[in-house]
Structures are given as C-alpha cells and as structure tokens.
Amino acid sequence: MKTRGKLIDFAIDVFLFCFSILMILPLVFLVSNAFKTPQEMLAWPPRLIPSDPTLENFRSVLTDTPLPLWIFNSVAFSTLSMVAIVMTSAIAGYVLAKFPFRSLNIIFILILATAIVPFEVYMIPLYFQAQALGVLNSLWGLLLGYLVMSFGIFLVRQNVMHSIPDELLEAARIDGAGEFWIFWKIVLPLLRGALGALAVLAFFQAWTSFAWPMIVTTTRDSYTIEVGLALFQTGFTVDLGRLSAASAAVLVPSITLFVILRRNFVQGVASTGMKE
Amino acid sequence: MLQQKRWRFAILAILPTLAIFAWVRMYPIVETLRLSLHEWNILSKNKPFIGLANFRELFHDQLFLNALTNTSIIAFGVVILTVPTAMVIAGLIHHRTHSRFSGFYETSVFIPHVVSLVPAAMAWKWIFDAKLGPLNALLEFFGIPAQAWLFDPVLSVICIIVLCSWQALGYAVLIYLVGFKNLPVSLFEAAKLDGASGVQRFWHVSVPMLKPITLYVSVVTLISGFNVYAQAFVLASDSQGAPGRQVRVLVLDMLENSFRNYRVGYAASEAVVLLSIVLVLTLIQFGLLREKGRK
C-alpha cells in the first residue's frame, strides 16, 4: 500500500515535470531561435542549442529598429505608472479603511463600480482627452491610462483593515501625533508587504499593456516594446529569426525580474482571487 | 471638533486620488455611454443625438457580428480549455506540495502569464508557421498533411484559443492553489477513512467544494477572453500582412471604426455592447454566489 502510494506520487511528479517543461518550451525555443541562421530554422527536429550560433539576427534588429529606445520607453512608462499607482492606492486605501464617514463610503462604491468596467470600453474617450492635453506620442500620454488602479485601492484597504488596529492609531492621536505623521510614520511602514506586491503587479500591468499604447503612440520613437514588436512583425512576417531575436531581448530580462520577485507577485495575484 | 478635523484630513488626503479617478476613469466611462447615443464623425464639429440608431445598425453590420461571434468563440473556448486543466494541475501540484519540485511547477506554469504578450505570441507564431513551424513538421511525421494554421479562418481561431489558454492557465492554477490550501483537511481525512481513492476524493470532495473558485476563475477568464486583442493582432495577419484582419475580434473592430472609419459614436456603441456582456457575466457570478450563500 505504501509503495503503491509512492509509485503514484512518482508518476504524478513525472507528469507535472513534463507538463511544466511543455509550458515553458515555446519560450525556450524562442530564445534558441534567436541565435539560429535561416538555414537552421528549417531543421527538423528543431534543435534546442543552435549548432552554429550567430548574432546576426540581433545585429540586424538593432540596425533596423530603435529597440533600445522602445525598451527605455517601456521601462520608464512602467516605472512611472507603478509609482503613481502605489502612491494613490496607499493614501486612498488607508483613508477608505480607517475613516468611517458616509461620503467616503459613496466614493468607495464608485471606485469599486468602475473596477468592473474593462479598460477597452472607455479607452476611446480617454484617447480624445489625451489628444486635448496634447500628450499623444509621449510618456505622459501612455501614463494617463495607468495612473490609478481600482484593485490597488481595494488591496490596500483590505490590508489596512486586517493588519492595522484602531487602538494603534488612537494611541498615536492621544500622544498628539498629526494625521499626516501617523500615515507616514506608522501606517506606511506596516503596509510595506502589501505595497511591494502591488508595485510588482502595477509594473507588470503597464509592461504588458497593449491596446492603449497601440492607439496613443503612432510615431516610431514613442512606441513601447510591445507595440514596436507587434508592428515590426507585420513588416517581416516570414523573418522569424529576427523576430525571435527582438522578442528574446525583451523576454529574458522580464522573466529574470519575475523569478526574482516571484513571491511578491504571487502574493499580489493570489489576493485578487480571495476578495470573494 | 476632533471629528471635524479628521474629516478634513480624510477629504484632503483622498482628494488628489479621487480627482485623478474621476478624470481618467469615471469621465471616459460616462463619455462612452453618452457617445454611443450620438453620431460623431471625428472630422465634423457637431454630434447629433440619434438615440439607439447606432445599436440598431450594429446588429445588421456583418463585420461587427463576425467580430462578436469570433470573440465569443475565443472566450468560451479558452474557458473550456483552461478551467478543467487548471483544476487538475492545481490539484496535482497541491498533492505534491512537499515535492522538491513544487516551486518549479508553480513557476513554470505561471511564467506564460507574466511574459509580455507580443514576444510570447512570436513563439507561437513560429510553432504554427506553415513552412518553418514544428507543428506541421510533427504532423507530417505522423503522415498528416500540413495545415496553413494561421491563414485558415477556422484553424486560426483555434490557434488564438491555444495561445490565450496557455497564458490564462497560470493565473487559474494560482487561484485554484489558494483554494486547495483553504479546503478543510478533516473532510479529506474522513473521505480517506471511508476508503475513497485519490481520484474519488478529487471528484467528490474537491470539485464541489471549489465551486465558488471555479465560478470566479471562469468569469475572470471569460471577461479577459472578451477583451482579446493583442493575440489576434499578432497571430492572425491576413494574406496581405494586415494584422488581425484574419480573425476579427471586438476590440479590433471597435478601434477600426473609431480610427480608420472615424465613426467614434458607432465605436462607442460597440464598447457599450462589450460592457453589457461583462456586466451580465459579473451579475451572473454574484447571483450564483449569493444563491450558494443562502443554502
């Protein structure tokens, strides 16, 4: 009975192992293809490690496209969006959790209600707002769509309610602390974990955004990496070597970043599922 | 007096966030609703009110109906493929929590969910490629004729479903894992004492207990399926290389009406249709959850 159970566990491990490998195999091949010559791309079965690795694909991508600029745009956009979302969520989430006024409840319901509406629904009017501000084709235009995050406010609010006792705040007030001082010196440090998770979530949300950058940026120099790559591929539909090179240049750093920040990320995503 | 001071702080503190919120969320949402009832050609100054005429036109618009069908097929296809798979995989990973590889399993299943869409889609473009792709090579190896995966109207929809499911799976598995961790252990032990096998425990205890999670994951996956855009844009170029034209999806149709045909009001009415679909799905979810709570 014991040995049979062990055998089954072993079989499950083998299955999960193969499944996990299959999940990441497309990405592994993408990186490998980036180093292949056009002849080798045709080889069957596809080789995991190119027999004749070449940097030609990378060189030609770099001469044909402003890839470093696109990466810079994406990094700057994602970082600014992350900062804006963490700041607005921290203060709003705290106020909504600890100040029981009826007017604030109404605000909270409004924020929750907009959370249901997908971004794609209202991005066209938002585009005209960006146009009116004259920020199309710029970092600020990109940022306009990603300044706040309903879920972020919700996440901070839940965290404050669960992890910061009212007594702590009352004690500080009795000692004569000002409201702002309390937020800055007591609340923020206690929220470090939640805000870390939110920061990672916000960064990746902007980093992987597609539809909004697609309509806001129309000049080659203002593209984010996603838009740049998507439009680059339409020009060279068949040249998979160069497409792979450009994609790999983006994937490898972002996957590395993810693996490093995995704990934060998983915590953030998992808490989205627990709100019910 | 003290109460008033605190109220003043609360309002001042939330005001900046609220202002941004009103400006980049609430206003454009209301504007979408308003524009959907107007005819607005970008080039003209006036926007006459035309009531529901946009919506009436939508339901005779072949391109829109085509987009709506494709999008629905993709959204439901992704759910059907993702949710059962995610449940089984999460169950197995949970069963092997103490295995030294469990971190590896979780990470590799989740990675496709976090990589940016376009580079990941490139990998699949290669897999599905008619001439270079390993999929056709594999098929030929087994004597099955090669297919033009990305140029056939039916096959390209399947390709998009596969790509979307590959990406959605990690999220679903993660949520299920949280669900499995919260299940009461005593129940499984009781089932074990009654002689239920692992498969029976999964089917008769886990599956019913996880119903709220299944509901949540299904609705979230469906909603993101209805917003599919980048995947279709990259995978489904038509024979002239125009991106996304092969498999028309709602968001693409909406953007084309707005920025190519300059019919913003009409595009807004499409957005309202998309919003209604999402709202109905969300309401169904809440309804079912509440019903369960009452029992």
Side-chain angles (χ1 to χ4, degrees):
Chain A
M1 189 64 200
K2 264 268 152 65
T3 46
R4 199 173 145 247
K6 277 220 171 103
L7 212 66
I8 291 176
D9 282 355
F10 181 72
I12 292 177
D13 264 337
V14 170
F15 171 77
L16 282 177
F17 200 83
C18 295
F19 189 83
S20 307
I21 297 285
L22 268 178
M23 285 297 281
I24 50 175
L25 207 56
L27 300 173
V28 174
F29 269 116
L30 183 78
V31 175
S32 147
N33 285 346
F35 295 98
K36 286 181 184 167
T37 57
Q39 294 83 328
E40 202 176 357
M41 287 287 286
L42 287 162
W44 175 260
R47 264 181 229 116
L48 212 51
I49 296 163
S51 60
D52 179 22
T54 165
L55 288 175
E56 194 40 51
N57 291 323
F58 288 95
R59 209 168 293 133
S60 91
V61 167
L62 283 175
T63 51
D64 285 357
T65 67
L67 192 70
L69 185 62
W70 292 345
I71 294 180
F72 170 80
N73 287 343
S74 273
V75 171
F77 162 48
S78 310
T79 310
L80 287 173
S81 159
M82 174 183 85
V83 171
I85 286 174
V86 168
M87 283 189 339
T88 52
S89 302
I91 186 97
Y94 166 62
V95 169
L96 291 173
K98 288 294 178 196
F99 293 81
F101 298 109
R102 192 174 300 146
S103 42
L104 291 179
N105 273 334
I106 298 170
I107 293 175
F108 182 61
I109 290 168
L110 272 177
I111 289 175
L112 267 193
T114 58
I116 303 168
V117 185
F119 189 76
E120 283 78 2
V121 166
Y122 54 86
M123 68 184 174
I124 293 173
L126 195 60
Y127 169 87
F128 290 104
Q129 286 171 264
Q131 192 183 43
L133 288 169
V135 290
L136 294 181
N137 292 318
S138 78
L139 220 48
W140 310 114
L142 287 171
L143 198 57
L144 191 66
Y146 288 83
L147 281 171
V148 284
M149 186 175 175
S150 317
F151 169 68
I153 297 176
F154 185 79
L155 179 80
V156 174
R157 179 175 173 271
Q158 294 305 92
N159 254 283
V160 171
M161 293 207 304
H162 288 144
S163 63
I164 300 179
D166 283 335
E167 293 77 19
L168 186 67
L169 305 178
E170 281 312 319
R173 285 191 186 112
I174 289 168
D175 287 347
E179 291 294 340
F180 186 74
W181 190 92
I182 294 175
F183 173 69
W184 195 254
K185 292 280 182 181
I186 298 178
V187 176
L188 272 190
L190 286 172
L191 285 177
R192 214 179 291 144
L195 293 181
L198 177 62
V200 177
L201 221 56
F203 186 90
F204 274 86
Q205 177 190 265
W207 180 261
T208 56
S209 61
F210 183 74
W212 177 244
M214 191 78 195
I215 59 175
V216 169
T217 60
T218 48
T219 56
R220 236 164 98 96
D221 288 344
S222 62
Y223 289 161
T224 61
I225 186 69
E226 290 277 287
V227 175
L229 275 182
L231 294 176
F232 174 62
Q233 64 110 14
T234 64
F236 302 89
T237 327
V238 256
D239 198 345
L240 282 164
R242 300 199 321 172
L243 283 175
S244 305
S247 305
V250 184
L251 271 189
V252 174
S254 66
I255 290 184
T256 315
L257 192 67
F258 164 69
V259 172
I260 296 169
L261 296 172
R262 197 183 123 225
R263 289 266 155 253
N264 278 323
F265 199 93
V266 169
Q267 194 193 344
V269 174
S271 52
T272 63
M274 291 197 289
K275 60 186 170 190
E276 257 73 33
Chain B
M1 167 61 193
L2 197 70
Q3 201 66 3
Q4 207 180 6
K5 215 168 116 197
R6 285 170 70 177
W7 190 79
R8 207 179 308 142
F9 168 79
I11 292 298
L12 277 180
I14 207 167
L15 207 58
T17 306
L18 188 66
I20 299 174
F21 224 91
W23 180 47
V24 300
R25 291 281 182 277
M26 294 166 196
Y27 173 75
I29 291 172
V30 173
E31 189 68 2
T32 300
L33 297 175
R34 198 181 66 84
L35 280 175
S36 72
L37 303 175
H38 290 72
E39 169 155 19
W40 181 28
N41 182 318
I42 291 189
L43 307 170
S44 76
K45 269 264 174 309
N46 48 342
K47 313 173 196 174
F49 177 81
I50 53 167
L52 295 174
N54 280 331
F55 293 94
R56 269 196 293 276
E57 192 187 336
L58 268 184
F59 288 95
H60 299 284
D61 178 345
Q62 275 315 313
L63 286 177
F64 167 75
L65 292 177
N66 181 240
L68 187 62
T69 322
N70 283 336
T71 313
S72 314
I73 293 174
I74 291 171
F76 282 98
V78 173
V79 170
I80 291 167
L81 201 58
T82 306
V83 173
T85 318
M87 199 171 193
V88 172
I89 295 290
L92 292 178
I93 293 181
H94 180 68
H95 180 73
R96 300 296 298 143
T97 308
H98 302 296
S99 157
R100 95 182 60 155
F101 297 114
S102 67
F104 168 72
Y105 303 150
E106 274 178 55
T107 313
S108 33
V109 171
F110 200 62
I111 278 181
H113 184 71
V114 289
V115 297
S116 0
L117 261 172
V118 179
M122 294 303 171
W124 286 88
K125 210 175 162 70
W126 169 70
I127 292 176
F128 291 129
D129 193 273
K131 282 190 297 258
L132 300 172
L135 184 60
N136 268 345
L138 194 69
L139 287 180
E140 276 172 357
F141 183 77
F142 288 109
I144 303 166
Q147 308 285 332
W149 289 101
L150 298 174
F151 292 102
D152 182 275
V154 176
L155 292 179
S156 49
V157 171
I158 295 177
C159 292
I160 294 176
I161 293 178
V162 170
L163 167 60
C164 293
S165 305
W166 175 69
Q167 293 203 297
L169 189 72
Y171 177 75
V173 166
L174 189 71
I175 302 296
Y176 269 122
L177 274 176
V178 176
F180 273 107
K181 269 174 204 142
N182 292 337
L183 287 181
V185 184
S186 54
L187 217 60
F188 287 91
E189 270 158 12
K192 218 171 182 174
L193 283 179
D194 286 343
S197 72
V199 177
Q200 280 172 328
R201 285 198 301 268
F202 178 78
W203 189 247
H204 293 292
V205 183
S206 306
V207 172
M209 291 289 286
L210 288 172
K211 218 185 236 165
I213 306 254
T214 305
L215 196 62
Y216 172 77
V217 171
S218 308
V219 171
V220 169
T221 314
L222 259 182
I223 289 177
S224 67
F226 271 100
N227 290 309
V228 57
Y229 174 50
Q231 293 91 338
F233 189 92
V234 175
L235 275 192
S237 315
D238 69 6
S239 42
Q240 278 104 46
R245 222 51 64 70
Q246 174 78 46
V247 178
R248 219 167 229 289
V249 291
L250 272 184
V251 175
L252 177 98
D253 197 56
M254 195 169 98
L255 291 179
E256 269 197 355
N257 273 326
S258 175
F259 295 111
R260 198 178 292 256
N261 307 337
Y262 302 124
R263 301 184 61 194
V264 182
Y266 192 60
S269 68
E270 276 184 78
V272 172
V273 172
L274 179 62
L275 176 60
S276 328
I277 294 172
V278 171
L279 280 185
V280 167
L281 288 173
T282 313
L283 287 178
I284 291 176
Q285 184 195 10
F286 279 130
L288 287 176
L289 276 180
R290 185 165 302 164
E291 197 176 298
K292 196 179 164 283
R294 214 178 286 140
K295 264 180 212 163

